[in-house]
Short mmCIF file of all heavy atoms in Angstrom, two decimals:
data_model
loop_
_atom_site.label_atom_id
_atom_site.label_comp_id
_atom_site.label_asym_id
_atom_site.label_seq_id
_atom_site.Cartn_x
_atom_site.Cartn_y
_atom_site.Cartn_z
N ALA A 16 -88.77 56.65 -68.41
CA ALA A 16 -87.43 56.25 -68.07
C ALA A 16 -86.44 57.24 -68.40
O ALA A 16 -85.50 57.52 -67.58
CB ALA A 16 -87.17 54.86 -68.83
N SER A 17 -86.62 57.92 -69.55
CA SER A 17 -85.76 59.02 -69.99
C SER A 17 -85.80 60.25 -69.05
O SER A 17 -84.75 60.80 -68.56
CB SER A 17 -86.15 59.52 -71.41
OG SER A 17 -85.97 58.57 -72.33
N GLU A 18 -87.06 60.62 -68.63
CA GLU A 18 -87.26 61.59 -67.55
C GLU A 18 -86.53 61.28 -66.28
O GLU A 18 -85.93 62.11 -65.66
CB GLU A 18 -88.65 61.90 -67.34
CG GLU A 18 -89.39 62.56 -68.47
CD GLU A 18 -90.85 62.76 -68.35
OE1 GLU A 18 -91.34 62.89 -67.15
OE2 GLU A 18 -91.57 62.81 -69.30
N TRP A 19 -86.68 59.89 -65.81
CA TRP A 19 -86.03 59.49 -64.63
C TRP A 19 -84.53 59.55 -64.73
O TRP A 19 -83.89 60.16 -63.80
CB TRP A 19 -86.47 58.09 -64.42
CG TRP A 19 -86.00 57.47 -63.04
CD1 TRP A 19 -86.66 57.61 -61.89
CD2 TRP A 19 -84.76 56.98 -62.81
NE1 TRP A 19 -85.98 57.05 -60.80
CE2 TRP A 19 -84.70 56.52 -61.46
CE3 TRP A 19 -83.64 56.67 -63.58
CZ2 TRP A 19 -83.64 56.06 -60.75
CZ3 TRP A 19 -82.47 55.97 -62.89
CH2 TRP A 19 -82.57 55.76 -61.55
N LEU A 20 -83.97 59.19 -65.86
CA LEU A 20 -82.55 59.30 -66.04
C LEU A 20 -81.95 60.76 -65.90
O LEU A 20 -81.11 61.02 -65.27
CB LEU A 20 -82.16 58.67 -67.41
CG LEU A 20 -82.21 57.23 -67.41
CD1 LEU A 20 -82.09 56.79 -68.91
CD2 LEU A 20 -81.19 56.57 -66.65
N ARG A 21 -82.79 61.63 -66.69
CA ARG A 21 -82.40 63.06 -66.51
C ARG A 21 -82.52 63.65 -65.19
O ARG A 21 -81.64 64.45 -64.55
CB ARG A 21 -83.23 63.95 -67.50
CG ARG A 21 -82.88 63.75 -68.87
CD ARG A 21 -83.66 64.81 -69.74
NE ARG A 21 -83.42 64.43 -71.18
CZ ARG A 21 -84.39 63.86 -71.91
NH1 ARG A 21 -85.64 63.66 -71.40
NH2 ARG A 21 -84.20 63.53 -73.20
N ALA A 22 -83.45 63.22 -64.40
CA ALA A 22 -83.76 63.71 -63.02
C ALA A 22 -82.62 63.28 -62.04
O ALA A 22 -82.45 63.77 -61.05
CB ALA A 22 -85.15 63.36 -62.57
N HIS A 23 -82.16 62.09 -62.42
CA HIS A 23 -81.02 61.52 -61.63
C HIS A 23 -79.51 61.84 -62.13
O HIS A 23 -78.67 61.09 -61.83
CB HIS A 23 -81.26 60.07 -61.43
CG HIS A 23 -82.31 59.71 -60.55
ND1 HIS A 23 -83.65 59.68 -61.07
CD2 HIS A 23 -82.31 59.43 -59.14
CE1 HIS A 23 -84.51 59.53 -60.02
NE2 HIS A 23 -83.73 59.39 -58.83
N GLY A 24 -79.37 62.91 -62.96
CA GLY A 24 -78.21 63.40 -63.22
C GLY A 24 -77.46 62.86 -64.57
O GLY A 24 -76.40 63.17 -64.74
N HIS A 25 -78.29 62.11 -65.24
CA HIS A 25 -77.61 61.52 -66.59
C HIS A 25 -77.65 62.62 -67.63
O HIS A 25 -78.64 63.43 -67.83
CB HIS A 25 -78.43 60.27 -66.98
CG HIS A 25 -78.14 59.11 -65.95
ND1 HIS A 25 -77.14 58.29 -66.09
CD2 HIS A 25 -78.95 58.75 -64.91
CE1 HIS A 25 -77.16 57.42 -65.16
NE2 HIS A 25 -78.25 57.59 -64.36
N SER A 26 -76.58 62.49 -68.35
CA SER A 26 -76.57 63.58 -69.53
C SER A 26 -77.47 63.09 -70.65
O SER A 26 -78.03 61.99 -70.84
CB SER A 26 -75.12 63.55 -70.06
OG SER A 26 -74.87 62.32 -70.74
N ASP A 27 -77.69 64.14 -71.66
CA ASP A 27 -78.52 63.79 -72.78
C ASP A 27 -77.91 62.69 -73.59
O ASP A 27 -78.63 61.87 -74.11
CB ASP A 27 -78.62 65.11 -73.74
CG ASP A 27 -79.47 66.12 -73.02
OD1 ASP A 27 -80.32 65.72 -72.06
OD2 ASP A 27 -79.37 67.28 -73.44
N ASP A 28 -76.63 62.52 -73.77
CA ASP A 28 -75.89 61.51 -74.46
C ASP A 28 -76.16 60.22 -73.82
O ASP A 28 -76.40 59.18 -74.50
CB ASP A 28 -74.46 61.77 -74.52
CG ASP A 28 -73.94 62.83 -75.46
OD1 ASP A 28 -74.86 63.29 -76.30
OD2 ASP A 28 -72.93 63.43 -75.38
N GLU A 29 -76.20 60.19 -72.52
CA GLU A 29 -76.51 58.87 -71.84
C GLU A 29 -77.99 58.48 -72.06
O GLU A 29 -78.22 57.27 -72.16
CB GLU A 29 -76.24 59.02 -70.44
CG GLU A 29 -74.78 59.09 -69.98
CD GLU A 29 -74.56 59.33 -68.62
OE1 GLU A 29 -75.22 60.14 -67.91
OE2 GLU A 29 -73.56 58.89 -68.01
N VAL A 30 -78.82 59.40 -72.02
CA VAL A 30 -80.30 59.17 -72.28
C VAL A 30 -80.36 58.53 -73.70
O VAL A 30 -81.20 57.64 -73.99
CB VAL A 30 -81.10 60.32 -72.00
CG1 VAL A 30 -82.69 60.10 -72.41
CG2 VAL A 30 -81.11 60.79 -70.51
N ILE A 31 -79.77 59.21 -74.67
CA ILE A 31 -79.76 58.80 -76.01
C ILE A 31 -79.27 57.37 -76.14
O ILE A 31 -79.85 56.42 -76.85
CB ILE A 31 -79.17 59.82 -76.98
CG1 ILE A 31 -79.98 61.05 -77.01
CG2 ILE A 31 -78.99 59.18 -78.42
CD1 ILE A 31 -79.21 62.31 -77.68
N ASP A 32 -78.08 57.15 -75.53
CA ASP A 32 -77.59 55.78 -75.67
C ASP A 32 -78.57 54.77 -75.06
O ASP A 32 -78.69 53.64 -75.50
CB ASP A 32 -76.26 55.66 -74.79
CG ASP A 32 -75.12 56.31 -75.50
OD1 ASP A 32 -75.23 56.69 -76.72
OD2 ASP A 32 -74.14 56.68 -74.81
N PHE A 33 -79.23 55.03 -73.99
CA PHE A 33 -80.22 54.32 -73.39
C PHE A 33 -81.42 53.91 -74.29
O PHE A 33 -81.79 52.71 -74.45
CB PHE A 33 -80.80 54.91 -71.96
CG PHE A 33 -82.25 54.39 -71.64
CD1 PHE A 33 -82.12 53.16 -70.99
CD2 PHE A 33 -83.32 54.98 -71.91
CE1 PHE A 33 -83.40 52.62 -70.48
CE2 PHE A 33 -84.50 54.48 -71.48
CZ PHE A 33 -84.59 53.23 -70.74
N ILE A 34 -81.95 55.00 -74.97
CA ILE A 34 -82.92 54.87 -75.99
C ILE A 34 -82.50 53.89 -77.07
O ILE A 34 -83.23 53.05 -77.50
CB ILE A 34 -83.47 56.10 -76.50
CG1 ILE A 34 -84.15 56.95 -75.35
CG2 ILE A 34 -84.40 55.96 -77.62
CD1 ILE A 34 -84.47 58.37 -75.61
#
Side-chain angles (χ1 to χ4, degrees):
S17 297
E18 289 177 26
W19 186 92
L20 289 167
R21 284 190 194 104
H23 286 85
H25 292 273
S26 69
D27 289 340
D28 287 338
E29 290 173 324
V30 173
I31 291 169
D32 287 344
F33 161 78
I34 292 170

